[in-house]
Amino acid sequence: MSLFRRIFLLNATVLCAAAALLLLGPVTVSTPVVLTEALILTAGLIAMLVANAALLRVGLAPLQRLTRAMTTTDLLHPGRRPVVAGQGEVAELISTFNTMLDRLEAERAASTAVALSAQEDERHRIAQELHDEIGQTLTAVLLELKHVADHAPPLLRSQLRQVQETTRGSLDEIRRIARRLRPGVLEELGLTTALTALTHETTSHAGITVSRHFDQELPQLSHETELVIYRVAQESLTNIVRHAAAHRVNISLGADATGLHLRITDDGKGLGAAREGAGIRGMRERALLIGARLTLNQRPGNGTEVHLRVPAPQRSH
């Protein structure tokens, strides 16, 4: 039972008991009860109940708004704070809740930044080990296989050539994984070139046609902002290849008066009723680190649109 209903029923019980005592008890206006007096008491009782309900509704309205805010608050979807209203403890409670949200969002942003930074460092380390150790080992194996195949009998040579191709394919896959873990092209050639290489590498083997539209003159961005844009695009394209069953993908990056916009749309089966997974939550957390906003929308018909808006592009240091 809500607080409003409990208080109202309590007050109504007291008022009804008082009215009953006046009508039926020894303390009455007249004995026996006169009809006009009963009507007057009944009307007064109704008026008191209505006034009591109205006053409680007005007094408890800030608490109802606070309750709605508590049930809908999501730190991955920052929204407006409930307005501080009411008197005394009610206003203090709402103000305390807003302060708590500010603290939680700041703490989450700080902890997320540390976690994502550690994740990027670990990706860098793994990519370096794949390239320097496993990659060089497989390269040496390829050279040895070639040397053995050149001096092997014809029948064995054919089998060794097949082993060579399998090893070469494994080496290419390891290099591709290393590039996804650490996008060196992003640091060396810039964001648009890195996005172009990413779309080609991610979708070429899946039979998906990609249309790219990148503004020629983008504002200068910090490395952190570029990395967030790249990772959001990477996760979006990965989800499309794995889950969307799409045939066409459009990716655009441009700037206008409201900020920088990355849009990725596909003609796949859409979001449906599926809950957001760890990949999308990770995208939202990355967006919050640079003050950006990520939205996912179901397109008319089929397909999904991922929109990342960076309201204030930062200059690189």
Side-chain angles (χ1 to χ4, degrees):
M1 186 178 296
S2 66
L3 180 62
F4 167 81
R5 182 171 293 181
R6 284 185 304 198
I7 297 175
F8 176 77
L9 290 178
L10 179 62
N11 290 339
T13 301
V14 174
L15 292 173
C16 289
L21 288 174
L22 286 175
L23 289 173
L24 305 176
V27 183
T28 57
V29 176
S30 62
T31 305
V33 177
V34 180
L35 179 61
T36 55
E37 294 175 352
L39 292 177
I40 292 173
L41 286 174
T42 303
L45 175 62
I46 294 174
M48 286 187 292
L49 291 175
V50 171
N52 186 47
L55 291 174
L56 284 175
R57 181 65 68 185
V58 172
L60 297 179
L63 287 180
Q64 293 176 341
R65 290 194 296 269
L66 179 61
T67 300
R68 287 195 296 269
M70 287 180 173
T71 56
T72 58
T73 295
D74 185 350
L75 296 182
L76 290 180
H77 301 78
R80 295 189 303 174
R81 301 287 188 260
V83 178
V84 179
Q87 300 295 327
E89 293 85 353
V90 174
E92 184 179 354
L93 177 62
I94 298 175
S95 178
T96 303
F97 176 73
N98 291 341
T99 302
M100 181 191 69
L101 280 184
D102 293 336
R103 186 178 69 254
L104 287 176
E105 288 184 359
E107 291 175 354
R108 183 183 179 89
S111 60
T112 300
V114 172
L116 291 178
S117 177
Q119 184 185 76
E120 289 296 333
D121 292 341
E122 186 67 10
R123 286 182 172 186
H124 184 279
R125 184 187 66 80
I126 295 174
Q128 195 72 28
E129 291 182 356
L130 287 175
H131 182 272
D132 293 345
E133 297 182 11
I134 300 179
Q136 290 182 6
T137 300
L138 288 179
T139 301
V141 171
L142 279 174
L143 294 175
E144 290 295 330
L145 285 172
K146 182 179 183 304
H147 176 74
V148 173
D150 291 340
H151 298 82
L155 181 60
L156 182 60
R157 184 181 306 163
S158 175
Q159 296 176 351
L160 288 173
R161 298 298 185 194
Q162 293 179 0
V163 175
Q164 275 185 283
E165 292 303 318
T166 301
T167 306
R168 186 175 290 108
S170 299
L171 180 60
D172 291 340
E173 182 65 17
I174 287 175
R175 288 172 175 170
R176 186 184 69 83
I177 293 173
R179 286 194 300 270
R180 289 179 63 84
L181 289 173
R182 178 177 178 266
V185 67
L186 178 63
E187 301 174 359
E188 298 167 2
L189 301 178
L191 180 59
T192 56
T193 302
L195 290 176
T196 301
L198 174 67
T199 54
H200 177 74
E201 180 180 354
T202 305
T203 60
S204 59
H205 65 281
I208 298 176
T209 303
V210 181
S211 298
R212 292 176 286 267
H213 306 281
F214 302 142
D215 284 1
Q216 295 298 319
E217 297 183 3
L218 293 172
Q220 190 174 7
L221 304 173
S222 67
H223 174 69
E224 183 183 35
T225 301
E226 288 187 343
L227 184 60
V228 168
I229 294 173
Y230 181 88
R231 291 301 188 195
V232 168
Q234 185 181 50
E235 183 64 30
S236 299
L237 292 172
T238 300
N239 288 339
I240 290 172
V241 171
R242 290 179 179 176
H243 309 298
H247 301 286
R248 294 191 60 84
V249 173
N250 295 302
I251 178 170
S252 64
L253 180 65
D256 58 20
T258 62
L260 190 72
H261 299 268
L262 172 71
R263 285 187 173 88
I264 303 174
T265 60
D266 65 78
D267 61 352
K269 58 185 180 182
L271 296 171
R275 298 178 59 184
E276 292 187 357
I280 296 179
R281 291 196 299 271
M283 292 161 60
R284 293 193 185 281
E285 290 176 346
R286 289 182 180 277
L288 291 177
L289 288 180
I290 58 172
R293 185 174 183 83
L294 181 77
T295 56
L296 284 80
N297 300 310
Q298 184 83 23
R299 298 180 64 204
N302 288 321
T304 305
E305 179 189 59
V306 177
H307 179 204
L308 177 70
R309 181 174 68 87
V310 186
Q314 306 170 11
R315 292 186 175 275
S316 60
H317 300 291

